[in-house]
Amino acid sequence: MDEKAQGRFKPLPSSETELVVRASRGDGEAFAALVEPYQKRLYNLAFRMTGHREEAADLVQDALLRAYTSLKSFRAQAAFGTWLYKVATNVCLDALRRRKRQPEISAKPPVGGEGQGEDPSPAWERRQIIQKAVTGLPPELRAAVVLRDIQGFAYEEIAVILGLTPENVKTRIHRGRALLRQRFLELELLPSVEGRTASK
Amino acid sequence: MNHPWETEDFQGTIALLGELPEVEPPAEAASAWRLAIAAAPIPRPSFHLASLATWPGSPRFKAAAAGVAAVLVLGIIGSALQPARLPSAGPSGTGAVRYGPAEIAAPARTTQKTVNQGLMRLSPTAGQSSPNAGAPSAVQTQSQVAGRDIIQTANLNLQVANVQVAFQKAQSLAAGDGGYVSDSSFSRDVSGDVANLTLMVPTKSLDTVLARLSALGTVTAESRGGNDITQQYVDTQTQLADLQAEAARYRQFLAQAKSVSDMLKIEDQLAQVTDRINTLTAELNSLNQQVTLASINLTLTVPTGTPATIPAGGLAGALGAALLSSLRALAAFARAVLVGLAWASPFIVLGGAGYGGYRLLRKIRRQR
């Protein structure tokens, strides 16, 4: 977790600045080079938010297009990565609000994604259950939990991405974790209070 | 880093979430995203601090800097030369500036002088020609200044003795310099004939044509204007270059497309870009034509009231003006009579023939 959080958003390097300027003038190749380092993380964010591999890829594409066409709204004083994550998170939240249904977890491991080339194993099934519990959270709580506990962002960064105060971010994360904990207890992924007491 | 307060109750929950591994995007996703970016509409450029670092390299920055520098230099030169080049006013203090023979004979020289002057002088004074008509006129202007693209327009009001004759001469003058009449009207009322013409002439010949037109009569009003479209032209050129680069990228992607659906998408985008290229190309051509041709709005009237050509003041002048006005009225009346006779001539001929036939018949009957 700490390793994930280290050095995620640094000040805009000069090369990145140049790419931003070129991209804002309509240089698509510069924009592609600019976002390339973030694509995998954006995909993971979208995948954990939706639980769908194809939908995650589509959402990342939508996020990149929205970022490209609205690059003029980006200000150099903010980290480009933070701004890009903000765009992507908003795209995911918009899609989830439109969808308003529970995601379907495929019965087999997704091709090219998590568990590629493997048969459904107990570990894979366990991860699917955890993912399903995550995607069962309300979108706003889900975004906060995914950004913090899976993506490893700091509270301040999450506050910028979600447009909230750090205190509100903590509240959402707390509520999301509480719901998840309850769900994990029901699924017996976590030991119950009685079990923990007995083990002690 | 988790805070102690949050890990205490949710340690197990966080640990379970930590079991979710980082996943790889689908293999084809990256290329699809790149393709989508290439097909996306080009964002409109905007100013922000980060762009300052590379602005000096941008074509717009260079064009704007060159334009500002050119205006500054021309302004300084113009302000230094302007007082010495201003012509002296006529004896009356007012008077239309008439283009003298020197300007007509040597248009290239006057144009060069105006370029040096660097400033456009508009609307001369009213009345008669300046005593030093052969000297450079303050009304001279340049067709293009230091690479600037300027749409030139001029308005010229002339009093002429015969509007129709001047009308035809003005048409011939425009045609002789490679121009044409884009619009014209002719009317007649109690105050006399009035003709309005819009002449399109090559911008480089504007000074020459104006001088020749001014020689057709007495200039009662003149003005000139210029619309600097350099920035618009540069912007359009930049957009066109961007679109052409975008089209080239699409063609590149099209060559690399691996599926029909990709090809169709790329072709759609390419068609849109091509349409925009055609539109901008037409716009550039139109701008070129507007810069190449200057428009002259020419109004031709006959002298009314106290003619500007008759010196004012004194009984002799007033009598002369009255006599001239009367003679003109008589001439106009005679002209109207002639025109009326011409109009009625077929009826007169028919009537005369009929009356002659009637008289002939009566004579024959009497003889019988």
Side-chain angles (χ1 to χ4, degrees), chain B residues 251-287:
Chain B
R251 291 190 188 95
Q252 199 177 355
F253 282 126
L254 194 60
Q256 297 169 353
K258 294 177 180 174
S259 68
V260 176
S261 63
D262 285 350
M263 290 175 65
L264 291 176
K265 287 178 187 173
I266 297 170
E267 282 182 344
D268 283 346
Q269 295 296 328
L270 186 57
Q272 290 179 19
V273 172
T274 306
D275 282 347
R276 288 161 63 193
I277 287 175
N278 292 337
T279 303
L280 286 182
T281 304
E283 189 177 330
L284 268 183
N285 289 339
S286 172
L287 290 175

mmCIF file of all heavy atoms in Angstrom, chain B residues 251-287:
data_model
loop_
_atom_site.group_PDB
_atom_site.id
_atom_site.type_symbol
_atom_site.label_atom_id
_atom_site.label_comp_id
_atom_site.label_asym_id
_atom_site.label_seq_id
_atom_site.Cartn_x
_atom_site.Cartn_y
_atom_site.Cartn_z
ATOM 1 N N ARG B 251 -4.728 8.800 -42.901
ATOM 2 C CA ARG B 251 -4.347 7.923 -44.014
ATOM 3 C C ARG B 251 -3.334 6.877 -43.550
ATOM 4 O O ARG B 251 -3.352 5.726 -43.983
ATOM 5 C CB ARG B 251 -3.777 8.764 -45.163
ATOM 6 C CG ARG B 251 -4.839 9.614 -45.838
ATOM 7 C CD ARG B 251 -4.347 10.254 -47.120
ATOM 8 N NE ARG B 251 -5.332 11.203 -47.615
ATOM 9 C CZ ARG B 251 -5.322 12.501 -47.370
ATOM 10 N NH1 ARG B 251 -4.337 13.011 -46.651
ATOM 11 N NH2 ARG B 251 -6.261 13.301 -47.822
ATOM 12 N N GLN B 252 -2.487 7.333 -42.630
ATOM 13 C CA GLN B 252 -1.505 6.393 -42.067
ATOM 14 C C GLN B 252 -2.215 5.293 -41.287
ATOM 15 O O GLN B 252 -1.907 4.111 -41.429
ATOM 16 C CB GLN B 252 -0.571 7.179 -41.156
ATOM 17 C CG GLN B 252 0.744 6.476 -40.878
ATOM 18 C CD GLN B 252 1.653 7.350 -40.026
ATOM 19 O OE1 GLN B 252 1.338 8.491 -39.728
ATOM 20 N NE2 GLN B 252 2.753 6.804 -39.621
ATOM 21 N N PHE B 253 -3.181 5.715 -40.468
ATOM 22 C CA PHE B 253 -3.932 4.724 -39.685
ATOM 23 C C PHE B 253 -4.727 3.805 -40.601
ATOM 24 O O PHE B 253 -4.865 2.616 -40.344
ATOM 25 C CB PHE B 253 -4.885 5.428 -38.722
ATOM 26 C CG PHE B 253 -4.199 5.965 -37.497
ATOM 27 C CD1 PHE B 253 -4.322 7.283 -37.146
ATOM 28 C CD2 PHE B 253 -3.420 5.136 -36.696
ATOM 29 C CE1 PHE B 253 -3.695 7.783 -36.027
ATOM 30 C CE2 PHE B 253 -2.790 5.627 -35.581
ATOM 31 C CZ PHE B 253 -2.920 6.949 -35.241
ATOM 32 N N LEU B 254 -5.229 4.395 -41.672
ATOM 33 C CA LEU B 254 -6.024 3.608 -42.599
ATOM 34 C C LEU B 254 -5.174 2.495 -43.205
ATOM 35 O O LEU B 254 -5.641 1.366 -43.372
ATOM 36 C CB LEU B 254 -6.571 4.536 -43.696
ATOM 37 C CG LEU B 254 -7.685 3.984 -44.568
ATOM 38 C CD1 LEU B 254 -8.891 3.606 -43.741
ATOM 39 C CD2 LEU B 254 -8.084 4.999 -45.621
ATOM 40 N N ALA B 255 -3.943 2.825 -43.505
ATOM 41 C CA ALA B 255 -3.047 1.825 -44.087
ATOM 42 C C ALA B 255 -2.720 0.713 -43.094
ATOM 43 O O ALA B 255 -2.434 -0.411 -43.480
ATOM 44 C CB ALA B 255 -1.769 2.498 -44.562
ATOM 45 N N GLN B 256 -2.800 1.052 -41.796
ATOM 46 C CA GLN B 256 -2.438 0.073 -40.775
ATOM 47 C C GLN B 256 -3.658 -0.626 -40.189
ATOM 48 O O GLN B 256 -3.522 -1.485 -39.320
ATOM 49 C CB GLN B 256 -1.675 0.766 -39.659
ATOM 50 C CG GLN B 256 -0.345 1.370 -40.114
ATOM 51 C CD GLN B 256 0.269 2.272 -39.066
ATOM 52 O OE1 GLN B 256 -0.357 2.542 -38.055
ATOM 53 N NE2 GLN B 256 1.481 2.722 -39.320
ATOM 54 N N ALA B 257 -4.850 -0.240 -40.622
ATOM 55 C CA ALA B 257 -6.066 -0.804 -40.027
ATOM 56 C C ALA B 257 -6.129 -2.302 -40.279
ATOM 57 O O ALA B 257 -5.776 -2.782 -41.366
ATOM 58 C CB ALA B 257 -7.290 -0.112 -40.606
ATOM 59 N N LYS B 258 -6.581 -3.037 -39.254
ATOM 60 C CA LYS B 258 -6.610 -4.494 -39.369
ATOM 61 C C LYS B 258 -8.022 -5.050 -39.497
ATOM 62 O O LYS B 258 -8.196 -6.239 -39.662
ATOM 63 C CB LYS B 258 -5.928 -5.110 -38.154
ATOM 64 C CG LYS B 258 -4.433 -4.797 -38.103
ATOM 65 C CD LYS B 258 -3.799 -5.353 -36.868
ATOM 66 C CE LYS B 258 -2.298 -5.030 -36.846
ATOM 67 N NZ LYS B 258 -1.665 -5.431 -35.597
ATOM 68 N N SER B 259 -8.999 -4.210 -39.339
ATOM 69 C CA SER B 259 -10.365 -4.706 -39.474
ATOM 70 C C SER B 259 -11.172 -3.715 -40.302
ATOM 71 O O SER B 259 -10.828 -2.537 -40.414
ATOM 72 C CB SER B 259 -11.013 -4.889 -38.103
ATOM 73 O OG SER B 259 -11.202 -3.633 -37.502
ATOM 74 N N VAL B 260 -12.254 -4.254 -40.867
ATOM 75 C CA VAL B 260 -13.102 -3.425 -41.708
ATOM 76 C C VAL B 260 -13.752 -2.330 -40.888
ATOM 77 O O VAL B 260 -13.897 -1.188 -41.333
ATOM 78 C CB VAL B 260 -14.178 -4.301 -42.386
ATOM 79 C CG1 VAL B 260 -15.147 -3.431 -43.187
ATOM 80 C CG2 VAL B 260 -13.526 -5.306 -43.306
ATOM 81 N N SER B 261 -14.161 -2.668 -39.671
ATOM 82 C CA SER B 261 -14.835 -1.656 -38.838
ATOM 83 C C SER B 261 -13.883 -0.498 -38.545
ATOM 84 O O SER B 261 -14.280 0.673 -38.578
ATOM 85 C CB SER B 261 -15.327 -2.289 -37.539
ATOM 86 O OG SER B 261 -14.232 -2.752 -36.784
ATOM 87 N N ASP B 262 -12.613 -0.838 -38.287
ATOM 88 C CA ASP B 262 -11.631 0.233 -38.071
ATOM 89 C C ASP B 262 -11.500 1.100 -39.320
ATOM 90 O O ASP B 262 -11.460 2.331 -39.250
ATOM 91 C CB ASP B 262 -10.266 -0.359 -37.711
ATOM 92 C CG ASP B 262 -10.252 -0.867 -36.283
ATOM 93 O OD1 ASP B 262 -11.233 -0.572 -35.557
ATOM 94 O OD2 ASP B 262 -9.287 -1.547 -35.913
ATOM 95 N N MET B 263 -11.437 0.423 -40.464
ATOM 96 C CA MET B 263 -11.281 1.178 -41.711
ATOM 97 C C MET B 263 -12.460 2.106 -41.934
ATOM 98 O O MET B 263 -12.298 3.254 -42.343
ATOM 99 C CB MET B 263 -11.151 0.205 -42.896
ATOM 100 C CG MET B 263 -9.837 -0.551 -42.907
ATOM 101 S SD MET B 263 -9.776 -1.761 -44.216
ATOM 102 C CE MET B 263 -9.815 -0.745 -45.649
ATOM 103 N N LEU B 264 -13.661 1.595 -41.656
ATOM 104 C CA LEU B 264 -14.851 2.430 -41.863
ATOM 105 C C LEU B 264 -14.826 3.644 -40.943
ATOM 106 O O LEU B 264 -15.143 4.766 -41.349
ATOM 107 C CB LEU B 264 -16.118 1.607 -41.617
ATOM 108 C CG LEU B 264 -16.397 0.526 -42.662
ATOM 109 C CD1 LEU B 264 -17.611 -0.289 -42.265
ATOM 110 C CD2 LEU B 264 -16.622 1.164 -44.020
ATOM 111 N N LYS B 265 -14.443 3.391 -39.687
ATOM 112 C CA LYS B 265 -14.382 4.516 -38.745
ATOM 113 C C LYS B 265 -13.374 5.557 -39.214
ATOM 114 O O LYS B 265 -13.635 6.767 -39.195
ATOM 115 C CB LYS B 265 -13.989 4.007 -37.351
ATOM 116 C CG LYS B 265 -15.092 3.247 -36.636
ATOM 117 C CD LYS B 265 -14.577 2.747 -35.296
ATOM 118 C CE LYS B 265 -15.598 1.846 -34.621
ATOM 119 N NZ LYS B 265 -15.063 1.213 -33.412
ATOM 120 N N ILE B 266 -12.222 5.068 -39.623
ATOM 121 C CA ILE B 266 -11.165 5.999 -40.048
ATOM 122 C C ILE B 266 -11.606 6.761 -41.290
ATOM 123 O O ILE B 266 -11.401 7.966 -41.413
ATOM 124 C CB ILE B 266 -9.852 5.236 -40.325
ATOM 125 C CG1 ILE B 266 -9.360 4.574 -39.035
ATOM 126 C CG2 ILE B 266 -8.786 6.173 -40.850
ATOM 127 C CD1 ILE B 266 -8.225 3.610 -39.255
ATOM 128 N N GLU B 267 -12.255 6.042 -42.210
ATOM 129 C CA GLU B 267 -12.689 6.714 -43.442
ATOM 130 C C GLU B 267 -13.734 7.778 -43.154
ATOM 131 O O GLU B 267 -13.752 8.837 -43.784
ATOM 132 C CB GLU B 267 -13.223 5.686 -44.436
ATOM 133 C CG GLU B 267 -12.103 4.944 -45.147
ATOM 134 C CD GLU B 267 -12.620 3.952 -46.167
ATOM 135 O OE1 GLU B 267 -13.819 3.612 -46.110
ATOM 136 O OE2 GLU B 267 -11.835 3.502 -46.989
ATOM 137 N N ASP B 268 -14.604 7.477 -42.197
ATOM 138 C CA ASP B 268 -15.602 8.492 -41.810
ATOM 139 C C ASP B 268 -14.911 9.748 -41.308
ATOM 140 O O ASP B 268 -15.252 10.872 -41.684
ATOM 141 C CB ASP B 268 -16.524 7.937 -40.718
ATOM 142 C CG ASP B 268 -17.558 6.997 -41.294
ATOM 143 O OD1 ASP B 268 -17.710 7.001 -42.532
ATOM 144 O OD2 ASP B 268 -18.201 6.267 -40.526
ATOM 145 N N GLN B 269 -13.966 9.531 -40.412
ATOM 146 C CA GLN B 269 -13.252 10.680 -39.848
ATOM 147 C C GLN B 269 -12.481 11.421 -40.945
ATOM 148 O O GLN B 269 -12.446 12.655 -40.968
ATOM 149 C CB GLN B 269 -12.279 10.226 -38.748
ATOM 150 C CG GLN B 269 -12.974 9.621 -37.542
ATOM 151 C CD GLN B 269 -13.860 10.629 -36.828
ATOM 152 O OE1 GLN B 269 -13.565 11.816 -36.805
ATOM 153 N NE2 GLN B 269 -14.957 10.180 -36.265
ATOM 154 N N LEU B 270 -11.876 10.638 -41.834
ATOM 155 C CA LEU B 270 -11.099 11.252 -42.916
ATOM 156 C C LEU B 270 -12.000 12.099 -43.810
ATOM 157 O O LEU B 270 -11.616 13.191 -44.259
ATOM 158 C CB LEU B 270 -10.405 10.154 -43.720
ATOM 159 C CG LEU B 270 -9.433 10.604 -44.816
ATOM 160 C CD1 LEU B 270 -8.344 11.480 -44.227
ATOM 161 C CD2 LEU B 270 -8.821 9.401 -45.523
ATOM 162 N N ALA B 271 -13.211 11.589 -44.064
ATOM 163 C CA ALA B 271 -14.143 12.353 -44.898
ATOM 164 C C ALA B 271 -14.511 13.672 -44.239
ATOM 165 O O ALA B 271 -14.592 14.713 -44.895
ATOM 166 C CB ALA B 271 -15.387 11.518 -45.171
ATOM 167 N N GLN B 272 -14.716 13.613 -42.929
ATOM 168 C CA GLN B 272 -15.062 14.850 -42.217
ATOM 169 C C GLN B 272 -13.915 15.854 -42.296
ATOM 170 O O GLN B 272 -14.124 17.057 -42.533
ATOM 171 C CB GLN B 272 -15.374 14.546 -40.748
ATOM 172 C CG GLN B 272 -16.677 13.779 -40.556
ATOM 173 C CD GLN B 272 -16.943 13.477 -39.103
ATOM 174 O OE1 GLN B 272 -16.389 14.098 -38.200
ATOM 175 N NE2 GLN B 272 -17.782 12.494 -38.860
ATOM 176 N N VAL B 273 -12.711 15.343 -42.088
ATOM 177 C CA VAL B 273 -11.548 16.234 -42.133
ATOM 178 C C VAL B 273 -11.389 16.823 -43.537
ATOM 179 O O VAL B 273 -11.095 18.012 -43.704
ATOM 180 C CB VAL B 273 -10.278 15.480 -41.702
ATOM 181 C CG1 VAL B 273 -9.041 16.330 -41.933
ATOM 182 C CG2 VAL B 273 -10.372 15.102 -40.241
ATOM 183 N N THR B 274 -11.609 15.973 -44.541
ATOM 184 C CA THR B 274 -11.485 16.457 -45.919
ATOM 185 C C THR B 274 -12.502 17.553 -46.206
ATOM 186 O O THR B 274 -12.195 18.550 -46.877
ATOM 187 C CB THR B 274 -11.679 15.279 -46.897
ATOM 188 O OG1 THR B 274 -10.773 14.242 -46.545
ATOM 189 C CG2 THR B 274 -11.417 15.713 -48.318
ATOM 190 N N ASP B 275 -13.717 17.367 -45.696
ATOM 191 C CA ASP B 275 -14.738 18.417 -45.883
ATOM 192 C C ASP B 275 -14.275 19.733 -45.277
ATOM 193 O O ASP B 275 -14.427 20.800 -45.876
ATOM 194 C CB ASP B 275 -16.057 17.985 -45.229
ATOM 195 C CG ASP B 275 -16.798 16.996 -46.092
ATOM 196 O OD1 ASP B 275 -16.422 16.841 -47.260
ATOM 197 O OD2 ASP B 275 -17.745 16.371 -45.584
ATOM 198 N N ARG B 276 -13.738 19.641 -44.082
ATOM 199 C CA ARG B 276 -13.289 20.872 -43.418
ATOM 200 C C ARG B 276 -12.116 21.502 -44.176
ATOM 201 O O ARG B 276 -11.998 22.730 -44.283
ATOM 202 C CB ARG B 276 -12.899 20.576 -41.969
ATOM 203 C CG ARG B 276 -14.126 20.281 -41.093
ATOM 204 C CD ARG B 276 -13.779 19.562 -39.831
ATOM 205 N NE ARG B 276 -12.923 20.335 -38.944
ATOM 206 C CZ ARG B 276 -12.291 19.822 -37.905
ATOM 207 N NH1 ARG B 276 -12.418 18.545 -37.622
ATOM 208 N NH2 ARG B 276 -11.550 20.573 -37.134
ATOM 209 N N ILE B 277 -11.253 20.639 -44.720
ATOM 210 C CA ILE B 277 -10.130 21.156 -45.513
ATOM 211 C C ILE B 277 -10.663 21.918 -46.727
ATOM 212 O O ILE B 277 -10.199 23.019 -47.052
ATOM 213 C CB ILE B 277 -9.204 19.997 -45.952
ATOM 214 C CG1 ILE B 277 -8.405 19.499 -44.750
ATOM 215 C CG2 ILE B 277 -8.273 20.444 -47.068
ATOM 216 C CD1 ILE B 277 -7.560 18.278 -45.048
ATOM 217 N N ASN B 278 -11.661 21.331 -47.402
ATOM 218 C CA ASN B 278 -12.226 21.996 -48.579
ATOM 219 C C ASN B 278 -12.845 23.336 -48.204
ATOM 220 O O ASN B 278 -12.705 24.329 -48.933
ATOM 221 C CB ASN B 278 -13.268 21.090 -49.237
ATOM 222 C CG ASN B 278 -12.636 19.865 -49.866
ATOM 223 O OD1 ASN B 278 -11.449 19.873 -50.183
ATOM 224 N ND2 ASN B 278 -13.398 18.797 -50.018
ATOM 225 N N THR B 279 -13.546 23.357 -47.073
ATOM 226 C CA THR B 279 -14.186 24.598 -46.646
ATOM 227 C C THR B 279 -13.141 25.677 -46.383
ATOM 228 O O THR B 279 -13.278 26.826 -46.825
ATOM 229 C CB THR B 279 -14.998 24.353 -45.362
ATOM 230 O OG1 THR B 279 -15.945 23.324 -45.622
ATOM 231 C CG2 THR B 279 -15.729 25.612 -44.939
ATOM 232 N N LEU B 280 -12.104 25.296 -45.654
ATOM 233 C CA LEU B 280 -11.073 26.281 -45.331
ATOM 234 C C LEU B 280 -10.321 26.733 -46.582
ATOM 235 O O LEU B 280 -9.928 27.891 -46.696
ATOM 236 C CB LEU B 280 -10.091 25.690 -44.309
ATOM 237 C CG LEU B 280 -10.611 25.585 -42.891
ATOM 238 C CD1 LEU B 280 -9.549 25.030 -41.968
ATOM 239 C CD2 LEU B 280 -11.050 26.954 -42.382
ATOM 240 N N THR B 281 -10.109 25.802 -47.510
ATOM 241 C CA THR B 281 -9.434 26.171 -48.754
ATOM 242 C C THR B 281 -10.258 27.211 -49.516
ATOM 243 O O THR B 281 -9.720 28.204 -50.029
ATOM 244 C CB THR B 281 -9.223 24.924 -49.634
ATOM 245 O OG1 THR B 281 -8.504 23.957 -48.881
ATOM 246 C CG2 THR B 281 -8.436 25.264 -50.877
ATOM 247 N N ALA B 282 -11.562 26.990 -49.571
ATOM 248 C CA ALA B 282 -12.435 27.962 -50.246
ATOM 249 C C ALA B 282 -12.387 29.309 -49.534
ATOM 250 O O ALA B 282 -12.371 30.367 -50.177
ATOM 251 C CB ALA B 282 -13.865 27.433 -50.286
ATOM 252 N N GLU B 283 -12.342 29.254 -48.212
ATOM 253 C CA GLU B 283 -12.287 30.501 -47.443
ATOM 254 C C GLU B 283 -10.987 31.251 -47.734
ATOM 255 O O GLU B 283 -10.978 32.475 -47.911
ATOM 256 C CB GLU B 283 -12.375 30.171 -45.954
ATOM 257 C CG GLU B 283 -12.556 31.385 -45.074
ATOM 258 C CD GLU B 283 -12.705 30.984 -43.615
ATOM 259 O OE1 GLU B 283 -13.214 29.887 -43.346
ATOM 260 O OE2 GLU B 283 -12.288 31.778 -42.752
ATOM 261 N N LEU B 284 -9.899 30.494 -47.813
ATOM 262 C CA LEU B 284 -8.608 31.126 -48.125
ATOM 263 C C LEU B 284 -8.634 31.758 -49.511
ATOM 264 O O LEU B 284 -8.134 32.873 -49.711
ATOM 265 C CB LEU B 284 -7.495 30.078 -48.066
ATOM 266 C CG LEU B 284 -6.788 29.909 -46.732
ATOM 267 C CD1 LEU B 284 -5.665 28.896 -46.860
ATOM 268 C CD2 LEU B 284 -6.219 31.237 -46.254
ATOM 269 N N ASN B 285 -9.221 31.030 -50.470
ATOM 270 C CA ASN B 285 -9.310 31.581 -51.831
ATOM 271 C C ASN B 285 -10.110 32.876 -51.839
ATOM 272 O O ASN B 285 -9.767 33.839 -52.533
ATOM 273 C CB ASN B 285 -9.948 30.557 -52.771
ATOM 274 C CG ASN B 285 -9.019 29.387 -53.038
ATOM 275 O OD1 ASN B 285 -7.805 29.515 -52.858
ATOM 276 N ND2 ASN B 285 -9.562 28.254 -53.422
ATOM 277 N N SER B 286 -11.206 32.867 -51.077
ATOM 278 C CA SER B 286 -12.037 34.069 -51.018
ATOM 279 C C SER B 286 -11.254 35.235 -50.415
ATOM 280 O O SER B 286 -11.331 36.367 -50.915
ATOM 281 C CB SER B 286 -13.281 33.770 -50.177
ATOM 282 O OG SER B 286 -14.002 34.953 -49.951
ATOM 283 N N LEU B 287 -10.511 34.949 -49.355
ATOM 284 C CA LEU B 287 -9.708 36.007 -48.730
ATOM 285 C C LEU B 287 -8.668 36.538 -49.719
ATOM 286 O O LEU B 287 -8.426 37.743 -49.807
ATOM 287 C CB LEU B 287 -9.024 35.483 -47.475
ATOM 288 C CG LEU B 287 -9.938 35.192 -46.286
ATOM 289 C CD1 LEU B 287 -9.150 34.569 -45.142
ATOM 290 C CD2 LEU B 287 -10.611 36.464 -45.812
#
